């Protein structure tokens, strides 16, 4: 019998001084059985970095042709496609064809070699942005995972502070490629 997703309830307060966005989102996040706490928290962080009232978590790992997070217009067009990890060049190409803007948040020990491998092939995509999180901070984020969380995310000058209870993790996303 297949394992079921684990449900996480998240109260996410976002204070983004860079975009002048200040909101609290109540999220119900399904953690896929193969998903780690680290990846779950990166998904929530990616949501916070792009927070908007129309931003949605998707089925992600459960469905091959959906990103982890997306934002659609009122008429159903994909405005934003957010993927996590180290997607293949083919998946990036397909994503860039489907959405107005694509952001990939890479992380992990092999992220730099992945980027070296696909960098040239992705240069032509003007709607693609690649951000990287360092492995130390993402593993720290993973330790914050709880079935019920109240997270505060403060963003200023590209620096991110994530706090929950008495834990604080500082994250500095590194921009490897910027959308035009």
């Amino acid at each position: 019998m297949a394992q079921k997703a684990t449900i996480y309830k998240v109260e996410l307060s976002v204070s983004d001084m860079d975009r002048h966005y200040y909101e609290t989102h109540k999220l119900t996040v399904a953690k896929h059985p193969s998903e780690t706490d680290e990846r779950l928290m990166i998904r929530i962080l990616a949501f916070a970095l792009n927070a908007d009232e129309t931003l949605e978590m998707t089925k992600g790992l459960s469905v091959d042709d959906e990103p982890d997070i997306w934002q659609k217009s009122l008429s159903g067009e994909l405005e934003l496609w957010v993927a996590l990890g180290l997607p293949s060049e083919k998946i990036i190409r397909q994503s860039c064809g489907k959405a107005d803007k694509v952001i990939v948040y890479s992380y992990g020990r092999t992220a730099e070699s992945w980027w070296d491998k696909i960098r040239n092939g992705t240069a032509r995509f003007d709607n693609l942005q690649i951000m990287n999180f360092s492995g130390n901070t993402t593993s720290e984020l993973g330790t914050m995972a709880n079935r019920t969380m109240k997270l505060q995310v403060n963003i200023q000058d590209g620096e991110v502070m994530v706090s929950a209870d008495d834990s604080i993790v500082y994250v500095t996303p590194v921009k490897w490629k910027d959308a035009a």
Side-chain angles (χ1 to χ4, degrees):
M1 190 163 142
Q3 287 184 319
K4 293 184 178 183
T6 305
I7 302 302
Y8 286 70
K9 296 287 188 178
V10 182
E11 185 177 304
L12 178 65
S13 297
V14 179
S15 298
D16 188 338
M17 277 68 78
D18 295 347
R19 295 187 305 134
H20 304 290
Y21 182 87
Y22 310 94
E23 279 301 324
T24 297
H25 297 267
K26 295 202 184 287
L27 305 173
T28 300
V29 184
K31 180 182 166 196
H32 190 274
S34 68
E35 189 172 29
T36 64
D37 286 346
E38 177 182 24
R39 187 178 192 287
L40 171 76
M41 294 303 290
I42 291 169
R43 195 156 43 114
I44 294 168
L45 176 59
F47 186 96
L49 290 168
N50 298 283
D52 186 273
E53 60 189 35
T54 60
L55 197 65
E56 297 177 55
M57 297 274 189
T58 66
K59 294 178 182 165
L61 289 174
S62 301
V63 180
D64 289 337
D65 60 345
E66 283 187 7
D68 294 284
I69 300 167
W70 65 20
Q71 183 175 340
K72 291 184 176 183
S73 69
L74 292 175
S75 56
E77 286 99 19
L78 272 169
E79 296 176 328
L80 179 63
W81 180 289
V82 178
L84 305 179
L86 311 173
S88 69
E89 190 176 330
K90 177 184 175 187
I91 289 174
I92 291 173
R93 181 177 63 248
Q94 291 170 343
S95 304
C96 287
K98 292 178 183 177
D100 295 340
K101 183 175 183 182
V102 175
I103 303 174
V104 175
Y105 291 99
S106 64
Y107 65 96
R109 292 186 316 265
T110 59
E112 286 186 32
S113 60
W114 164 82
W115 177 233
D116 289 341
K117 181 179 165 189
I118 70 155
R119 176 186 316 200
N120 293 335
T122 61
R124 69 182 185 270
F125 301 117
D126 292 338
N127 62 335
L128 174 65
Q129 181 175 332
I130 307 280
M131 303 294 290
N132 185 59
F133 296 127
S134 88
N136 294 342
T137 56
T138 58
S139 60
E140 284 181 57
L141 279 175
T143 64
M144 297 174 104
N146 235 317
R147 295 282 301 273
T148 305
M149 293 183 270
K150 283 188 177 191
L151 296 174
Q152 173 66 45
V153 177
N154 297 322
I155 305 163
Q156 184 173 10
D157 299 328
E159 301 286 324
V160 183
M161 181 186 80
V162 181
S163 59
D165 300 322
D166 55 355
S167 300
I168 297 176
V169 176
Y170 294 94
V171 181
T172 305
V174 177
K175 192 175 291 183
W176 281 349
K177 181 186 185 314
D178 202 359

